[in-house]
Amino acid sequence: MPALADLLVDLVWWLESCGDEEVDPDSAVKMMESVGWALVQLPSDQRQRLSQVLADLAEAEQDPARREFLESFPFAIGMVEDNESLPSDLGVLRDPARQATSGTRTD
């Protein structure tokens, strides 16, 4: 599961950060919403397992920007209602100003 979770995060990160000339913004948003919807449909135990895998990936990540993205991913994609629902070892940023910069693409 770690390789699949890593790939999923890379895809969403790319969609969020690519320019309008690379991917149509509306298409990027639709794709990220589809990913979020599919993850919310997972049974609770599978969402929890994915959150733990993401926490493990974040802990091992050397790039601070990617580590932050991994830490905020479950909340930003809609898998959890709030950061308090994430695994305690995730080290999630709880500063709302920083969370706003880590959310899904809005343009």
Side-chain angles (χ1 to χ4, degrees), residues 29-79:
V29 168
K30 286 178 185 175
M31 179 58 74
M32 288 188 291
E33 288 173 348
S34 293
V35 168
W37 180 85
L39 294 176
V40 167
Q41 300 309 305
L42 292 173
S44 178
D45 62 321
Q46 290 180 10
R47 284 194 316 269
Q48 184 62 32
R49 172 75 176 116
L50 178 56
S51 291
Q52 186 58 55
V53 168
L54 292 168
D56 295 343
L57 290 170
E59 185 177 327
E61 181 57 51
Q62 298 298 311
D63 177 10
R66 189 161 189 279
R67 183 180 319 112
E68 182 177 333
F69 191 82
L70 283 160
E71 290 172 344
S72 66
F73 184 84
F75 175 73
I77 204 73
M79 283 176 47

Side-chain angles (χ1 to χ4, degrees), residues 8-18 20 23-40 69 73-79 102-107:
L8 180 66
V9 169
D10 282 348
L11 172 68
V12 172
W13 191 8
W14 179 77
L15 286 170
E16 184 174 293
S17 64
C18 66
D20 293 354
V23 172
D24 175 63
D26 291 335
S27 296
V29 168
K30 286 178 185 175
M31 179 58 74
M32 288 188 291
E33 288 173 348
S34 293
V35 168
W37 180 85
L39 294 176
V40 167
F69 191 82
F73 184 84
F75 175 73
I77 204 73
M79 283 176 47
S102 301
T104 57
R105 184 181 185 143
T106 59
D107 54 60

